[in-house]
Amino acid sequence: MKTMSKEEKRKPNSYVRFLTIMFWAALGGGAIGFLMGFVGVDQWNMSIFTKVLSKMQIPLMILILGITVSISEIVLIKLRKLNLLLENAEDEEADRLEYEEEKVGSIGVIVSNLAMVLTLLSLAINYSSSYVEKHPAIMIVSCILTVIIFGYQGIWQIRYVKCLQKSNPRLQGDPGCMKQKDFQKAWLSSCDEAERELIYQSGYEAYIGIMRIIPMCAVAAMICHLMWNTGIFAVVISGIIWIWTTVIYVKSCVSKRRRKINIE
């Protein structure tokens, strides 16, 4: 009979650990509920906050446009300079420059996506039929700014991909094609083994990160609904993303396993 080592004996039981986490989570939720009831959170509202943001909608969107365009253009300028240095760089220097290229490009990608998210949030401040009827001019200007920001960021992302392809002609794919899945397949197939491994690892870490944040978002949406009666739609959307991400991941694992053993 196999005897357990000291390390195995000290290792906590998975069920006990899970139940402990559930206990502390329930205790924390109960404490929050008690405090909310004690201080009368049900009477809180966000009217002052939303009124302030409502008046700042257009200046806020102009600020988002100005800051993100400036950062995005600086990123492209730096990438072009790195491309010139990469043309005559030796192995070790090329590795360092490729790292700098990846780092600078990642900043640009984050800023690009952040600009679109912040724009949608800014537009959503007054995005209601009642507000449109009262202030049609403001809503039209806000929608025009949204189109400009999204249009610029879409073009910027194409320029970014083209910049990478210029420094490495081996990379294939048209970033402007209607079917982004085709571009992603072409890009992935043109990557070497090391680059693919990096993409796979980063993709898995992104999946883990999403599966951590989605439940938190769902709980936060429920708390906001409890406090400010924001509605359950945010909870529904979080739940849809949660299950959809799980289904896509599991389906991909099964299909790849099936292809590996040649099952039709």
Side-chain angles (χ1 to χ4, degrees):
M1 184 177 177
K2 185 179 177 180
T3 57
M4 294 179 64
S5 64
K6 291 182 179 181
E7 291 184 359
E8 290 176 332
K9 289 180 180 179
R10 284 198 299 265
K11 187 177 180 180
N13 184 282
S14 299
Y15 300 107
V16 173
R17 179 185 294 177
F18 173 75
L19 291 173
T20 302
I21 293 172
M22 289 292 293
F23 170 77
W24 286 110
L27 192 65
I32 292 172
F34 174 78
L35 289 174
M36 289 169 61
F38 181 75
V39 299
V41 173
D42 58 322
Q43 302 299 320
W44 292 6
N45 62 71
M46 299 183 71
S47 58
I48 298 176
F49 181 68
T50 52
K51 283 180 181 178
V52 172
L53 288 180
S54 177
K55 294 178 181 179
M56 297 174 58
Q57 184 181 36
I58 292 178
L60 188 61
M61 296 180 80
I62 293 174
L63 184 64
I64 292 169
L65 177 62
I67 293 175
T68 55
V69 167
S70 300
I71 296 175
S72 299
E73 291 302 319
I74 290 172
V75 166
L76 285 179
I77 291 171
K78 288 187 176 181
L79 285 174
R80 293 191 189 103
K81 290 181 180 179
L82 289 170
N83 288 348
L84 293 174
L85 295 173
L86 274 167
E87 290 178 359
N88 302 315
E90 299 297 332
D91 291 342
E92 291 185 1
E93 181 65 12
D95 290 339
R96 187 187 67 80
L97 290 173
E98 286 177 354
Y99 163 74
E100 291 293 329
E101 182 183 54
E102 187 79 27
K103 183 173 71 172
V104 172
S106 65
I107 294 173
V109 171
I110 291 172
V111 169
S112 178
N113 286 276
L114 184 62
M116 291 186 282
V117 171
L118 291 177
T119 300
L120 284 179
L121 291 175
S122 301
L123 183 64
I125 294 171
N126 296 320
Y127 201 71
S128 65
S129 56
S130 60
Y131 187 86
V132 172
E133 291 175 359
K134 294 178 181 178
H135 308 282
I138 295 177
M139 206 63 203
I140 290 172
V141 173
S142 300
C143 290
I144 291 173
L145 286 170
T146 300
V147 172
I148 291 172
I149 293 171
F150 271 72
Y152 170 80
Q153 294 303 335
I155 293 172
W156 181 89
Q157 291 182 13
I158 294 175
R159 293 166 64 198
Y160 169 63
V161 172
K162 294 289 186 183
C163 186
L164 295 181
Q165 290 174 331
K166 186 176 181 180
S167 67
N168 193 346
R170 173 175 50 82
L171 297 173
Q172 301 297 316
D174 179 11
C177 69
M178 293 296 292
K179 294 183 178 180
Q180 279 296 297
K181 192 174 181 180
D182 293 341
F183 161 68
Q184 291 160 0
K185 284 184 177 179
W187 182 275
L188 188 61
S189 63
S190 63
C191 293
D192 59 32
E193 204 62 39
E195 290 169 337
R196 289 181 193 175
E197 183 67 22
L198 180 62
I199 292 172
Y200 296 150
Q201 290 180 359
S202 300
Y204 181 71
E205 288 185 11
Y207 165 75
I208 294 298
I210 290 172
M211 294 307 291
R212 285 176 179 169
I213 196 67
I214 288 177
M216 296 180 187
C217 290
V219 172
M222 291 178 65
I223 292 174
C224 288
H225 178 48
L226 178 66
M227 293 171 63
W228 298 300
N229 195 28
T230 54
I232 66 167
F233 192 65
V235 183
V236 172
I237 293 297
S238 299
I240 291 173
I241 297 173
W242 189 348
I243 191 63
W244 180 254
T245 305
T246 302
V247 169
I248 292 296
Y249 175 77
V250 173
K251 182 176 177 292
S252 177
C253 291
V254 172
S255 61
K256 291 183 185 306
R257 179 75 66 178
R258 183 178 59 215
R259 286 197 297 267
K260 186 177 180 181
I261 59 178
N262 296 321
I263 294 179
E264 295 297 335

Short mmCIF file of all heavy atoms in Angstrom, two decimals, residues 175-217:
data_model
loop_
_atom_site.label_atom_id
_atom_site.label_comp_id
_atom_site.label_asym_id
_atom_site.label_seq_id
_atom_site.Cartn_x
_atom_site.Cartn_y
_atom_site.Cartn_z
N PRO A 175 -5.75 42.88 -43.39
CA PRO A 175 -6.50 43.31 -42.20
C PRO A 175 -7.79 44.05 -42.53
O PRO A 175 -8.63 44.23 -41.66
CB PRO A 175 -5.51 44.24 -41.49
CG PRO A 175 -4.62 44.74 -42.58
CD PRO A 175 -4.49 43.60 -43.55
N GLY A 176 -7.95 44.45 -43.80
CA GLY A 176 -9.16 45.17 -44.18
C GLY A 176 -10.25 44.28 -44.76
O GLY A 176 -11.30 44.79 -45.16
N CYS A 177 -10.03 42.96 -44.77
CA CYS A 177 -11.04 42.07 -45.35
C CYS A 177 -12.27 42.00 -44.45
O CYS A 177 -12.19 42.19 -43.24
CB CYS A 177 -10.48 40.67 -45.60
SG CYS A 177 -10.10 39.74 -44.11
N MET A 178 -13.41 41.72 -45.06
CA MET A 178 -14.67 41.69 -44.31
C MET A 178 -14.70 40.57 -43.28
O MET A 178 -15.21 40.73 -42.19
CB MET A 178 -15.85 41.53 -45.29
CG MET A 178 -16.05 42.74 -46.20
SD MET A 178 -16.50 44.23 -45.27
CE MET A 178 -18.12 43.78 -44.70
N LYS A 179 -14.15 39.42 -43.65
CA LYS A 179 -14.13 38.28 -42.74
C LYS A 179 -12.82 38.29 -41.95
O LYS A 179 -11.78 37.89 -42.45
CB LYS A 179 -14.27 36.97 -43.51
CG LYS A 179 -15.63 36.79 -44.18
CD LYS A 179 -15.71 35.43 -44.85
CE LYS A 179 -17.06 35.22 -45.49
NZ LYS A 179 -17.15 33.89 -46.16
N GLN A 180 -12.88 38.79 -40.72
CA GLN A 180 -11.68 38.85 -39.89
C GLN A 180 -11.11 37.47 -39.60
O GLN A 180 -9.91 37.32 -39.38
CB GLN A 180 -12.00 39.57 -38.58
CG GLN A 180 -12.01 41.08 -38.69
CD GLN A 180 -10.66 41.65 -39.04
OE1 GLN A 180 -9.69 41.53 -38.30
NE2 GLN A 180 -10.57 42.28 -40.21
N LYS A 181 -11.98 36.45 -39.61
CA LYS A 181 -11.51 35.09 -39.37
C LYS A 181 -10.53 34.66 -40.44
O LYS A 181 -9.54 33.96 -40.16
CB LYS A 181 -12.71 34.14 -39.31
CG LYS A 181 -12.37 32.76 -38.79
CD LYS A 181 -13.62 31.92 -38.63
CE LYS A 181 -13.26 30.54 -38.07
NZ LYS A 181 -14.47 29.70 -37.90
N ASP A 182 -10.77 35.07 -41.70
CA ASP A 182 -9.85 34.73 -42.80
C ASP A 182 -8.50 35.40 -42.60
O ASP A 182 -7.45 34.80 -42.84
CB ASP A 182 -10.46 35.15 -44.14
CG ASP A 182 -11.70 34.34 -44.49
OD1 ASP A 182 -11.87 33.25 -43.90
OD2 ASP A 182 -12.49 34.81 -45.33
N PHE A 183 -8.52 36.67 -42.19
CA PHE A 183 -7.27 37.37 -41.92
C PHE A 183 -6.49 36.70 -40.79
O PHE A 183 -5.28 36.50 -40.89
CB PHE A 183 -7.55 38.83 -41.55
CG PHE A 183 -6.41 39.50 -40.84
CD1 PHE A 183 -5.22 39.77 -41.50
CD2 PHE A 183 -6.51 39.84 -39.49
CE1 PHE A 183 -4.15 40.38 -40.84
CE2 PHE A 183 -5.46 40.45 -38.83
CZ PHE A 183 -4.27 40.72 -39.51
N GLN A 184 -7.19 36.33 -39.73
CA GLN A 184 -6.52 35.70 -38.59
C GLN A 184 -5.92 34.35 -38.96
O GLN A 184 -4.82 34.00 -38.51
CB GLN A 184 -7.52 35.55 -37.43
CG GLN A 184 -7.92 36.88 -36.83
CD GLN A 184 -9.22 36.82 -36.06
OE1 GLN A 184 -9.86 35.78 -35.97
NE2 GLN A 184 -9.64 37.96 -35.51
N LYS A 185 -6.63 33.58 -39.81
CA LYS A 185 -6.10 32.29 -40.25
C LYS A 185 -4.86 32.49 -41.11
O LYS A 185 -3.86 31.77 -40.95
CB LYS A 185 -7.16 31.53 -41.04
CG LYS A 185 -8.25 30.89 -40.18
CD LYS A 185 -9.21 30.08 -41.05
CE LYS A 185 -10.25 29.37 -40.18
NZ LYS A 185 -11.20 28.60 -41.02
N ALA A 186 -4.92 33.45 -42.03
CA ALA A 186 -3.77 33.72 -42.90
C ALA A 186 -2.58 34.20 -42.09
O ALA A 186 -1.43 33.81 -42.34
CB ALA A 186 -4.15 34.75 -43.96
N TRP A 187 -2.84 35.04 -41.11
CA TRP A 187 -1.77 35.57 -40.25
C TRP A 187 -1.12 34.44 -39.46
O TRP A 187 0.11 34.33 -39.40
CB TRP A 187 -2.33 36.63 -39.33
CG TRP A 187 -1.32 37.29 -38.44
CD1 TRP A 187 -0.86 36.84 -37.24
CD2 TRP A 187 -0.62 38.51 -38.69
NE1 TRP A 187 0.07 37.70 -36.72
CE2 TRP A 187 0.24 38.74 -37.59
CE3 TRP A 187 -0.64 39.44 -39.73
CZ2 TRP A 187 1.06 39.86 -37.51
CZ3 TRP A 187 0.17 40.56 -39.64
CH2 TRP A 187 1.00 40.76 -38.55
N LEU A 188 -1.96 33.61 -38.85
CA LEU A 188 -1.44 32.52 -38.03
C LEU A 188 -0.65 31.51 -38.86
O LEU A 188 0.40 31.03 -38.42
CB LEU A 188 -2.60 31.82 -37.31
CG LEU A 188 -2.23 30.77 -36.25
CD1 LEU A 188 -1.42 31.40 -35.12
CD2 LEU A 188 -3.47 30.11 -35.69
N SER A 189 -1.14 31.20 -40.04
CA SER A 189 -0.44 30.22 -40.88
C SER A 189 0.90 30.72 -41.38
O SER A 189 1.80 29.93 -41.69
CB SER A 189 -1.33 29.84 -42.08
OG SER A 189 -1.57 30.98 -42.90
N SER A 190 1.06 32.05 -41.44
CA SER A 190 2.33 32.60 -41.91
C SER A 190 3.34 32.79 -40.78
O SER A 190 4.50 33.12 -41.03
CB SER A 190 2.09 33.95 -42.60
OG SER A 190 1.55 34.90 -41.69
N CYS A 191 2.91 32.61 -39.54
CA CYS A 191 3.83 32.72 -38.39
C CYS A 191 4.69 31.47 -38.28
O CYS A 191 4.26 30.38 -38.68
CB CYS A 191 3.05 32.92 -37.10
SG CYS A 191 2.18 34.49 -36.99
N ASP A 192 5.89 31.63 -37.73
CA ASP A 192 6.72 30.45 -37.50
C ASP A 192 6.29 29.76 -36.21
O ASP A 192 5.39 30.21 -35.51
CB ASP A 192 8.21 30.82 -37.46
CG ASP A 192 8.54 31.84 -36.38
OD1 ASP A 192 7.87 31.83 -35.32
OD2 ASP A 192 9.48 32.63 -36.59
N GLU A 193 6.96 28.66 -35.91
CA GLU A 193 6.54 27.83 -34.77
C GLU A 193 6.63 28.58 -33.45
O GLU A 193 5.74 28.47 -32.59
CB GLU A 193 7.41 26.57 -34.71
CG GLU A 193 6.77 25.38 -34.01
CD GLU A 193 5.51 24.90 -34.68
OE1 GLU A 193 5.44 24.88 -35.91
OE2 GLU A 193 4.55 24.57 -33.96
N ALA A 194 7.70 29.36 -33.26
CA ALA A 194 7.87 30.10 -32.01
C ALA A 194 6.79 31.17 -31.85
O ALA A 194 6.26 31.37 -30.76
CB ALA A 194 9.25 30.75 -31.98
N GLU A 195 6.46 31.84 -32.95
CA GLU A 195 5.42 32.87 -32.90
C GLU A 195 4.04 32.25 -32.61
O GLU A 195 3.25 32.82 -31.87
CB GLU A 195 5.38 33.63 -34.22
CG GLU A 195 6.60 34.52 -34.44
CD GLU A 195 6.69 35.06 -35.86
OE1 GLU A 195 6.11 34.44 -36.77
OE2 GLU A 195 7.36 36.09 -36.05
N ARG A 196 3.78 31.10 -33.20
CA ARG A 196 2.51 30.42 -32.94
C ARG A 196 2.41 30.00 -31.47
O ARG A 196 1.35 30.15 -30.85
CB ARG A 196 2.38 29.18 -33.83
CG ARG A 196 2.15 29.50 -35.29
CD ARG A 196 2.01 28.22 -36.08
NE ARG A 196 2.09 28.48 -37.51
CZ ARG A 196 2.08 27.53 -38.43
NH1 ARG A 196 2.00 26.26 -38.08
NH2 ARG A 196 2.16 27.85 -39.71
N GLU A 197 3.50 29.50 -30.94
CA GLU A 197 3.50 29.10 -29.53
C GLU A 197 3.21 30.29 -28.63
O GLU A 197 2.45 30.18 -27.65
CB GLU A 197 4.86 28.48 -29.17
CG GLU A 197 4.98 27.95 -27.75
CD GLU A 197 4.08 26.75 -27.50
OE1 GLU A 197 3.70 26.07 -28.48
OE2 GLU A 197 3.78 26.49 -26.32
N LEU A 198 3.79 31.43 -28.98
CA LEU A 198 3.55 32.65 -28.21
C LEU A 198 2.08 33.07 -28.30
O LEU A 198 1.46 33.45 -27.29
CB LEU A 198 4.44 33.78 -28.74
CG LEU A 198 4.31 35.15 -28.05
CD1 LEU A 198 4.70 35.04 -26.59
CD2 LEU A 198 5.16 36.18 -28.77
N ILE A 199 1.50 32.97 -29.49
CA ILE A 199 0.08 33.31 -29.68
C ILE A 199 -0.81 32.36 -28.89
O ILE A 199 -1.77 32.79 -28.23
CB ILE A 199 -0.28 33.27 -31.18
CG1 ILE A 199 0.43 34.41 -31.91
CG2 ILE A 199 -1.79 33.38 -31.37
CD1 ILE A 199 0.30 34.34 -33.42
N TYR A 200 -0.50 31.05 -28.94
CA TYR A 200 -1.31 30.06 -28.22
C TYR A 200 -1.26 30.31 -26.70
O TYR A 200 -2.30 30.27 -26.03
CB TYR A 200 -0.82 28.65 -28.52
CG TYR A 200 -0.98 28.24 -29.97
CD1 TYR A 200 -0.10 27.33 -30.55
CD2 TYR A 200 -2.00 28.77 -30.76
CE1 TYR A 200 -0.24 26.96 -31.88
CE2 TYR A 200 -2.14 28.40 -32.09
CZ TYR A 200 -1.25 27.50 -32.65
OH TYR A 200 -1.40 27.14 -33.96
N GLN A 201 -0.06 30.54 -26.19
CA GLN A 201 0.08 30.78 -24.75
C GLN A 201 -0.64 32.06 -24.32
O GLN A 201 -1.33 32.08 -23.30
CB GLN A 201 1.56 30.85 -24.37
CG GLN A 201 2.29 29.51 -24.48
CD GLN A 201 3.76 29.64 -24.10
OE1 GLN A 201 4.25 30.72 -23.79
NE2 GLN A 201 4.47 28.52 -24.15
N SER A 202 -0.48 33.10 -25.13
CA SER A 202 -1.15 34.37 -24.81
C SER A 202 -2.67 34.22 -24.90
O SER A 202 -3.41 34.78 -24.08
CB SER A 202 -0.68 35.47 -25.77
OG SER A 202 0.72 35.66 -25.68
N GLY A 203 -3.14 33.44 -25.89
CA GLY A 203 -4.57 33.20 -26.03
C GLY A 203 -5.13 32.46 -24.84
O GLY A 203 -6.24 32.78 -24.36
N TYR A 204 -4.38 31.47 -24.33
CA TYR A 204 -4.86 30.72 -23.17
C TYR A 204 -4.89 31.60 -21.93
O TYR A 204 -5.84 31.54 -21.13
CB TYR A 204 -3.97 29.50 -22.92
CG TYR A 204 -4.42 28.66 -21.76
CD1 TYR A 204 -5.58 27.89 -21.85
CD2 TYR A 204 -3.71 28.65 -20.55
CE1 TYR A 204 -6.02 27.13 -20.78
CE2 TYR A 204 -4.15 27.90 -19.48
CZ TYR A 204 -5.29 27.13 -19.60
OH TYR A 204 -5.73 26.39 -18.54
N GLU A 205 -3.87 32.45 -21.77
CA GLU A 205 -3.85 33.36 -20.63
C GLU A 205 -5.02 34.36 -20.73
O GLU A 205 -5.61 34.74 -19.71
CB GLU A 205 -2.52 34.11 -20.58
CG GLU A 205 -1.36 33.22 -20.14
CD GLU A 205 -0.06 34.00 -19.97
OE1 GLU A 205 -0.12 35.25 -19.98
OE2 GLU A 205 1.00 33.36 -19.83
N ALA A 206 -5.34 34.78 -21.97
CA ALA A 206 -6.49 35.67 -22.15
C ALA A 206 -7.78 34.97 -21.75
O ALA A 206 -8.66 35.56 -21.12
CB ALA A 206 -6.57 36.13 -23.61
N TYR A 207 -7.90 33.68 -22.11
CA TYR A 207 -9.09 32.90 -21.75
C TYR A 207 -9.22 32.80 -20.22
O TYR A 207 -10.30 33.01 -19.67
CB TYR A 207 -9.00 31.51 -22.36
CG TYR A 207 -9.98 30.51 -21.76
CD1 TYR A 207 -11.33 30.57 -22.06
CD2 TYR A 207 -9.53 29.53 -20.88
CE1 TYR A 207 -12.22 29.67 -21.50
CE2 TYR A 207 -10.42 28.62 -20.32
CZ TYR A 207 -11.76 28.70 -20.63
OH TYR A 207 -12.64 27.81 -20.06
N ILE A 208 -8.10 32.51 -19.56
CA ILE A 208 -8.12 32.41 -18.09
C ILE A 208 -8.52 33.75 -17.48
O ILE A 208 -9.33 33.81 -16.54
CB ILE A 208 -6.73 31.98 -17.57
CG1 ILE A 208 -6.41 30.55 -18.03
CG2 ILE A 208 -6.69 32.05 -16.06
CD1 ILE A 208 -7.34 29.49 -17.52
N GLY A 209 -7.97 34.84 -18.03
CA GLY A 209 -8.31 36.16 -17.51
C GLY A 209 -9.77 36.49 -17.69
O GLY A 209 -10.42 37.06 -16.80
N ILE A 210 -10.33 36.14 -18.87
CA ILE A 210 -11.75 36.39 -19.13
C ILE A 210 -12.62 35.60 -18.16
O ILE A 210 -13.61 36.12 -17.62
CB ILE A 210 -12.09 36.03 -20.59
CG1 ILE A 210 -11.44 37.04 -21.54
CG2 ILE A 210 -13.60 36.01 -20.81
CD1 ILE A 210 -11.54 36.67 -22.99
N MET A 211 -12.26 34.33 -17.93
CA MET A 211 -13.07 33.50 -17.05
C MET A 211 -12.96 33.93 -15.60
O MET A 211 -13.76 33.51 -14.76
CB MET A 211 -12.66 32.03 -17.20
CG MET A 211 -12.97 31.45 -18.57
SD MET A 211 -14.70 31.68 -19.07
CE MET A 211 -15.53 30.58 -17.92
N ARG A 212 -11.98 34.75 -15.28
CA ARG A 212 -11.90 35.32 -13.94
C ARG A 212 -12.73 36.59 -13.81
O ARG A 212 -13.39 36.82 -12.81
CB ARG A 212 -10.44 35.63 -13.59
CG ARG A 212 -9.60 34.40 -13.28
CD ARG A 212 -8.15 34.79 -13.05
NE ARG A 212 -7.33 33.64 -12.71
CZ ARG A 212 -6.00 33.66 -12.66
NH1 ARG A 212 -5.34 34.78 -12.92
NH2 ARG A 212 -5.32 32.58 -12.36
N ILE A 213 -12.67 37.41 -14.85
CA ILE A 213 -13.32 38.73 -14.74
C ILE A 213 -14.81 38.68 -15.00
O ILE A 213 -15.57 39.47 -14.43
CB ILE A 213 -12.63 39.72 -15.72
CG1 ILE A 213 -12.99 41.17 -15.37
CG2 ILE A 213 -13.02 39.42 -17.16
CD1 ILE A 213 -12.42 41.64 -14.05
N ILE A 214 -15.28 37.74 -15.85
CA ILE A 214 -16.71 37.70 -16.19
C ILE A 214 -17.59 37.45 -14.95
O ILE A 214 -18.58 38.16 -14.74
CB ILE A 214 -16.98 36.65 -17.29
CG1 ILE A 214 -16.44 37.15 -18.62
CG2 ILE A 214 -18.47 36.37 -17.42
CD1 ILE A 214 -16.59 36.17 -19.76
N PRO A 215 -17.28 36.44 -14.10
CA PRO A 215 -18.10 36.28 -12.90
C PRO A 215 -18.10 37.51 -12.00
O PRO A 215 -19.13 37.86 -11.42
CB PRO A 215 -17.46 35.07 -12.19
CG PRO A 215 -16.76 34.32 -13.27
CD PRO A 215 -16.27 35.37 -14.21
N MET A 216 -16.95 38.19 -11.93
CA MET A 216 -16.88 39.41 -11.13
C MET A 216 -17.79 40.49 -11.72
O MET A 216 -18.48 41.22 -10.98
CB MET A 216 -15.44 39.92 -11.08
CG MET A 216 -14.48 38.99 -10.38
SD MET A 216 -12.80 39.69 -10.36
CE MET A 216 -11.88 38.31 -9.69
N CYS A 217 -17.79 40.59 -13.06
CA CYS A 217 -18.66 41.58 -13.71
C CYS A 217 -20.13 41.25 -13.47
O CYS A 217 -20.94 42.16 -13.26
CB CYS A 217 -18.37 41.60 -15.22
SG CYS A 217 -16.76 42.32 -15.66
#
